[in-house]
Amino acid sequence: MLLTPATRTATALPVAGRVLGWVAVAASVGVVTAKLVPLDRLALPVAVVGTLAVAAQVRAARDAALDARRTWACLAGATALWVLALLGAASGWSAPLVWGWLRGAALVVTLAAVLLARGARRGVRGWAMLLLDGSAVGLAAFVVFWIVLRSSPASTGDWDGVHPALLWLPGDLVAASLVTGLGVRAGAGVRVPSVLVVVAAVGTAASDAAWVLTGYPGSGTGGWVAVLVLLAAAGRVGGPLWRAEPEGSRPVGPGRLSQVLCAPAVALALVARHDVVTVGATAVLLAALALQIGVVHRQNLALWAAVALQARRLDDLLADSRDALLQVAPDGRVEFASEAVRDLLGVSPRELVGGRLAERAHPDDDTLDGAGETFAPLLEHRTDSVVVRARLQHVDGTWRHTESVVSLRDGGATPGLTISLRDTTVQERMAAEVRRQARTDSLTGVTSRAAFLALVDERLAAGPAVVLFVDLDGFKSVNDTAGHAVGDRLLRDVAAALERAAGPDDVVARLGGDEFAVLGAGGTAAAGLELAAAVLRSLRLAGRERDPRAAGTDASIGVAVGAGGSAESLLGDADLAMYAAKAAGGARAVAFEPRMRTEVVERSRLVTALDTALGTGTGLALHVQPIVDLTDRNWVGFEALVRWEAPGGHRTPRDFLSVAEETGQIVPLGRWVLGQALGWLAGCGDRVAGVSVNVAGRQLADPAFPASVVEALEDSGVDPARLTLEVTEQTAIDDMTRTGARLQSLRALGVHVSLDDFGTGFSSLGYLAQLPVDELKIDRRFVAGLGVRAEDDALVRAVLRLAADLGLAVVAEGVETAEQARALAALGCRRAQGFHLQRPVPAASLGFPPARGAASPDPAAPVPRREAAQAQAAGG
């Protein structure tokens, strides 16, 4: 339960103890002085105690700040004058000097100390109220003592019998009232010296009154000496005397002393013997009281108006605030609730008051009644507030997430808690959605890459894990031909197919793009391959019902098994296995083998060496293969090919061209081949024959490609009509808009465009109509079947007829036998190239093309099969 905090009384106890201690010492000295020291022997104790008091106040003035220094200096001066007056009274000095000049000067300097005090600086209204209060006190005391004096033996009944102390008693009471008013408004840090001065001022008035009442001066000696002791004690404590609150922080009304004295004074004046002084003083006193009552009434009205205004503002703030404010008792009961709880919990503030929030809190969350370790720093005053997050039950039965700032009421002065309660249900739902999105892929709904890697790390820490890396085959073509909407739909269908193929303990994730991964429940390669087979079967059905263009999806899958290590490393192994599956033709699964890492290292070395070769030109060589006219056996053109003598030995085009395509090195390599081929063509003797240069997809994707072709033509001086750019059918249709625009800009200059490997891709009359093509190259696979497979004969015949109808030239690739050459000639194909007609040779060794009509190899001459195979592998 909530502990009751300490109140301000505990803070005030040390102050009261110190004051009472000094008062006890002063009272003891005063009693001893009154009993043992008559007035004519008062000089010695007054001189000793007075000297100590003045010395203490002078030291306090020296050590204090500037504003307090003036106050202490004035008090030291007033004390010194008061000591002189007492010494004069004890030594028999004249009454006017003692009770007139010296006592009057002491009172004036005392008032100066009050005016110069730091806490006394206030406006006219504040001073007016303090002076009015002091005047009422003085007048009340004057009336009482005047009536008593007139009735006492010490009075002669006329003005000659007026006691000299009575002349100063009202001034004493006014000064005491002012000092008391400042003292009660002083802060706790200056309470001790201010209270001691207040007691001293009241003691002075009491001592004077005692002299008046008894008619014996010795009755006041003890009090006067006690006053000096209190002034000495105040000087010894030192520091600032008064540090009042800012003006206007509380209303300034009549003091309690005036309330205590005025009523008996008026009552006594009514029953006593009347004279001019009594009637006049009482009338002035009543006027002062009436003025006080009027001022206080106005202040009360202003105060009530201010309180009402603040209350309305507070009500408006509470009504407009979306946060619910509550005050809870130490036993957990709600004592106050703002209107906002109606929206938060569905109950009115009246229904909530008297109940306990703990009854509405979720059993798994912290309560808001002050119990538990959460509140320990607050209850032990180690912090001003604590933040508590808990779920509270709405009246409809749902749970609302809340965030509360809990603090002690009134800073701990009032037992209980103040709670600012905020509904964070929407924020919690948003945060949960953000966490869900971080764990799942936004497009497919399966696990995200980051969450998948974390799960794999957990599985590896517990034992062996098997991971499948799934990469879709031909997905880019679906995106390009059917559109991204169909591609996205296919990705969602693929994710669903993977989840159907996976077991209940398997985890499916999308890594990005068309790459997926599966964390299998089994921990062996056999289990992984079995799961991969199920994935392939399921993928072939993905998208069939939604869109025929996305049906029959295949994928290349890499399977890797590991124990320990990291998820990134295991996924990297599966990635290597996936590339091996893709290199083997795709639509299959391959398990990871350690040699694959070696191949990656070797591939990295190849990339580095190729970078060096491209930078220096060392090892690269241009080869050319003639394109022959089958009717007269003349060379009518050449295809430019690149060969590479790497530092570790000869590298075939198959070894490095695919790597260059993947890494982007094909762009500078293609630029090098183009420049070398045009330079060689410009230096040869034939001004008619042209050269064909292969262009890869990466080159066409480069925005600078058309400019680089123009630059090479200008540098070589070759006629653009003698240059043919060969693009594969697949490269041409990957991005027909971009490919067509860039090729058309070059074709407008006279450059020819050839569609390589025609018939192996998505052959379509629509594509041919959209692409700026001048020539078709029949793929070697169809040429190899001539005279062997009737369907190949039909396909070649169809291509030749199609080209004739569209006005396109045709070149047959891969002619390896005389039979193929004669068959092509018989079908009407005029141009061909292949190992049977001419092997690729270094351009430098060829020098220049032979003259037209020169002998060419006999088309019927046999070519060894091994050499033919080598030529096909070399790209001839």
Side-chain angles (χ1 to χ4, degrees), residues 376-399:
L378 179 66
L379 302 181
E380 296 171 3
H381 299 278
R382 288 187 278 118
T383 184
D384 294 332
S385 62
V386 294
V387 177
V388 180
R389 292 176 177 84
R391 286 167 289 179
L392 297 178
Q393 192 170 32
H394 193 271
V395 70
D396 62 7
T398 60
W399 292 101

Side-chain angles (χ1 to χ4, degrees), residues 221-267:
T221 57
W224 294 330
V225 174
V227 168
L228 293 177
V229 173
L230 291 173
L231 292 176
R236 186 177 185 278
V237 174
L241 271 175
W242 297 293
R243 186 179 293 126
E245 298 174 352
E247 186 175 0
S249 61
R250 65 172 68 181
V252 180
R256 292 184 180 180
L257 190 58
S258 64
Q259 298 172 6
V260 171
L261 291 179
C262 288
V266 173

Side-chain angles (χ1 to χ4, degrees), residues 110 189 206 216 241-242 269 310 328 424 464 505 515 554 574 621 638 652 695 727 756 778 820 840:
T110 301
Y216 173 59
L241 271 175
W242 297 293
Q310 293 296 333
V328 179
T424 59
D505 297 327
E515 295 177 345
D554 280 322
F638 304 89
T652 65
V695 178
V727 295
D756 199 7
I778 303 174
Q820 294 170 356

